[in-house]
């Protein structure tokens, strides 16, 4: 537990005090956020606000993981899974950094060309697919000394579903889909000050709890007594909890400056990176299908966006006034702060239900 707390605290401090530095640097570099001319008039006042703030919480998370891992080495020997970085950490942080890099390139092009176009949709999807595929292969084909891999060949809900074995090739395809879906879900949600950041904090916090619970009921650790031999067949759950807590802490520090009126935006570097990390956490904790509920807000916003696109292209009619969904409510007269807080509530309810389903599995076994 100490390593998880250290990672979260270090990430929070670095992000809280590092974000103002990033604001000054990106302002000096004239890295302001371009706003679409066809967008809402109320958003035109945000034009020029520094973007690419996601760099701060990505760096903070990586540094915090190092600090947490150092704290981990001071614990009793039975609790140390590996002296150096684990494959789990390399996969999760790799997804965070490299999908963030795809977003950084997109943000850079927007700033360079002074418009909101950036990287083409096809180019962005290709970048996400390559990153997801690369780390998906690593997660499935690089085992630890005991043969355990980060990912599984099975589709999972609260743990692997034994009869849903899709094989390694199918599993890589599932991983790529999950990474891309979550990455784009967070990206679509990132449209109002603090909205994606706050929702991500809730989801990351949930995965920190799940990872730590799995660590306390880990099949690989015989030091803990388990009721009815109840345990989780995952790899490095303490590392999972540490990374999720570090990312959540970093986002809390960033939210101090990102809340309305935002002094800096996370940009695609932040949203694509966060979504990829959340998808990776779902894969590593064997909660792939459960992530649909835990990340429910992102799923709702993505689904409504798809509905709008399909409806308009097939019938010429719009189901919503504007997508992503938060803009629909802006046009309906809701204030930005009201939308953000209410969407946070929706995200919190989804997280609570997801955690309830996760723990209900344990209660059903030991009850």
């Amino acid at each position: 537990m100490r390593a998880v707390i250290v990672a979260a605290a270090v990430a929070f401090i670095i992000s809280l005090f590092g974000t103002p530095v990033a604001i000054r640097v990106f302002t000096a570099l004239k890295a302001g956020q371009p706003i679409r001319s066809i967008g809402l008039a109320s958003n035109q006042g945000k034009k020029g606000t520094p973007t690419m703030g996601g760099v701060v919480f990505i760096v903070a998370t990586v540094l915090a993981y190092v600090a947490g891992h150092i704290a981990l080495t001071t614990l009793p020997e039975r609790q140390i899974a590996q002296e150096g970085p684990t494959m789990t950490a390399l996969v999760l942080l790799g997804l965070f950094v490299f999908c963030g890099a795809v977003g950084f390139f997109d943000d850079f092009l927007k700033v360079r060309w002074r418009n909101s176009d950036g990287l083409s949709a096809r180019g962005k999807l290709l970048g996400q697919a390559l990153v997801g595929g690369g780390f998906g292969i690593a997660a499935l084909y690089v085992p630890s000394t005991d043969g355990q891999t980060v990912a599984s060949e099975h589709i999972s809900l609260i743990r692997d579903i034994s009869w849903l074995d899709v094989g390694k090739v199918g599993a890589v395809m599932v991983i790529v889909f999950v990474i891309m879906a979550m990455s784009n879900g967070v990206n679509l949600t990132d449209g109002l000050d603090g909205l994606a950041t706050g929702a991500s904090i809730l989801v990351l916090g949930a995965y920190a709890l799940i990872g730590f619970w799995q660590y306390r009921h880990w099949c690989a650790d015989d030091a803990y007594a388990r009721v009815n031999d109840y345990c989780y067949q995952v790899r490095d759950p303490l590392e999972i909890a540490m990374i999720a807590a570090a990312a959540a802490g970093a986002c809390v520090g960033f939210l101090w400056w990102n809340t309305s009126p935002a002094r800096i935006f996370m940009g695609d570097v932040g949203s694509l990176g966060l979504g990829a990390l959340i998808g990776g956490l779902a894969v590593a904790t064997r909660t792939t299908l459960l992530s649909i509920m835990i990340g429910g807000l992102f799923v709702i916003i993505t689904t409504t966006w798809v509905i709008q696109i399909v409806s308009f292209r097939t019938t010429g009619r719009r189901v919503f006034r504007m997508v992503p969904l938060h803009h629909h409510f802006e046009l309906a007269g809701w204030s930005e702060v009201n939308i953000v807080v209410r969407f946070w509530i929706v995200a919190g309810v989804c997280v609570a239900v997801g955690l309830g389903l996760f723990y209900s599995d344990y209660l059903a076994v030991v009850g």
Side-chain angles (χ1 to χ4, degrees), residues 34-366:
I35 304 294
R36 290 186 303 168
S37 59
I38 61 173
L40 293 169
S42 59
N43 289 336
Q44 295 304 313
K46 300 179 181 182
K47 185 176 182 179
T49 302
T51 187
M52 295 191 261
V55 170
V56 179
F57 56 71
I58 291 176
V59 172
T61 301
V62 174
L63 294 178
Y65 166 75
V66 174
H69 205 78
I70 291 172
L72 183 63
T73 60
T74 66
L75 294 175
E77 186 176 357
R78 65 181 175 83
Q79 293 180 305
I80 302 174
Q82 183 173 316
E83 290 296 332
T86 63
M87 178 54 64
T88 303
L90 293 176
V91 167
L92 293 178
L93 293 177
L95 284 169
F96 201 12
V97 171
F98 283 93
C99 273
V102 174
F104 182 86
F105 185 56
D106 182 44
D107 289 331
F108 174 79
L109 293 179
K110 291 177 184 177
V111 171
R112 179 70 178 272
W113 295 339
R114 298 291 184 231
N115 62 48
S116 59
D117 293 336
L119 190 63
S120 68
R122 182 176 298 178
K124 196 183 298 185
L125 292 173
L126 178 61
Q128 292 170 304
L130 289 174
V131 173
F135 284 97
I137 291 171
L140 275 165
Y141 287 87
V142 183
S144 61
T145 53
D146 62 357
Q148 181 75 36
T149 55
V150 178
S152 168
E153 296 179 29
H154 296 79
I155 303 296
S156 58
L157 178 60
I158 296 171
R159 57 183 70 245
D160 285 342
I161 302 173
S162 59
W163 52 272
L164 277 180
D165 186 342
V166 295
K168 286 190 175 181
V169 174
V172 171
M173 294 174 65
V174 170
I175 291 171
V176 171
F177 176 78
V178 171
I179 299 301
M180 293 179 68
M182 278 297 179
S183 188
N184 286 295
V186 178
N187 185 241
L188 289 171
T189 306
D190 182 33
L192 299 180
D193 296 351
L195 176 55
T197 308
S200 295
I201 290 168
L202 295 170
V203 175
L204 291 166
Y207 274 111
L209 292 174
I210 288 173
F212 189 73
W213 182 264
Q214 290 179 331
Y215 167 64
R216 296 305 298 262
H217 302 82
W218 190 20
C219 294
D221 191 348
D222 294 326
Y224 295 111
R226 292 183 292 274
V227 180
N228 297 331
D229 293 325
Y230 186 92
C231 65
Y232 294 92
Q233 191 68 39
V234 296
R235 179 173 172 178
D236 310 314
L238 186 58
E239 298 261 305
I240 294 171
M242 196 160 54
I243 291 170
C251 285
V252 171
F254 181 76
L255 184 61
W256 182 274
W257 307 100
N258 181 236
T259 192
S260 183
R263 292 187 55 189
I264 188 170
F265 299 139
M266 69 167 66
D268 281 8
V269 58
S271 60
L272 295 185
L274 280 174
L277 175 60
I278 291 170
L281 290 168
V283 170
T285 56
R286 309 293 201 268
T287 57
T288 304
L289 295 178
L290 188 64
S291 68
I292 297 172
M293 177 55 68
I294 294 176
L297 178 65
F298 306 136
V299 174
I300 291 169
I301 288 177
T302 303
T303 302
T304 53
W305 182 83
V306 171
I307 290 172
Q308 181 86 325
I309 298 299
V310 171
S311 175
F312 186 74
R313 290 184 177 178
T314 56
T315 69
R317 296 181 179 180
R318 291 181 172 88
V319 178
F320 306 96
R321 290 182 174 93
M322 187 176 181
V323 289
L325 188 60
H326 37 273
H327 295 319
H328 166 84
F329 289 104
E330 278 192 290
L331 291 174
W334 292 20
S335 70
E336 180 171 357
V337 173
N338 276 341
I339 297 170
V340 170
V341 172
R342 287 169 180 171
F343 275 42
W344 283 353
I345 293 172
V346 172
V349 170
C350 291
V351 165
V353 173
L355 286 176
L357 292 172
F358 177 80
Y359 289 114
S360 67
D361 178 69
Y362 172 78
L363 295 175
V365 173
V366 303

